[in-house]
Structure formats: structure tokens, C-alpha cells
Amino acid sequence: MGGGPLSTQPQTESRSFADEVAAGTPGGETLRLCLQCGTCGGSCPSGPDMDHTPRALFALMLAGSGTRC
């Protein structure tokens, strides 16, 4: 059961914020494959306009800081 920090299992009491994000994102099961290398945020032409880079969002999400974003 489960499958890592971004498991897309049905909601339970112990479901993490990262699990909720994965469940609510189209294709969210692939979020578990992110290596947080920074390529997507570094190569995105909208990068300078972002309040939080994708790498920072993953760090906040995995830390359970959903209300800070």
C-alpha cells in the first residue's frame, strides 16, 4: 500500500498534504517521480514571475506547509 511521499491512495486520516496535492492534480501520480532537480523552474519563461518556484513548492508540500503557499 502507499507508494512514497506522494501516494495517491484514497483519503484516510493519515493522508499527508502531499497526498492531497497528488490526488487533486491531473496526472498527480507522476508527481512522485520528481527529482527536484530544478530544471522545470530554471527553464520556465514564467520563472521570474513566480512567487514560489516548483522546487520550493515541492519542499513546502513535502514539509506539510500547505497553508504557507
Side-chain angles (χ1 to χ4, degrees):
M1 281 197 193
L6 294 175
S7 175
T8 56
Q9 297 297 314
Q11 186 166 0
T12 64
E13 290 293 322
S14 63
R15 191 162 110 167
S16 71
F17 179 65
D19 293 332
E20 291 180 33
V21 171
T25 302
E29 62 278 357
T30 61
L31 291 176
R32 285 182 276 147
L33 303 175
C34 177
L35 300 174
Q36 297 190 34
C37 64
T39 300
C40 61
S43 63
C44 180
S46 298
D49 299 325
M50 295 179 188
D51 290 334
H52 301 286
T53 64
R55 194 174 197 178
L57 289 172
F58 264 88
L60 288 168
M61 180 178 65
L62 292 173
S65 301
T67 58
R68 293 184 187 170
C69 296

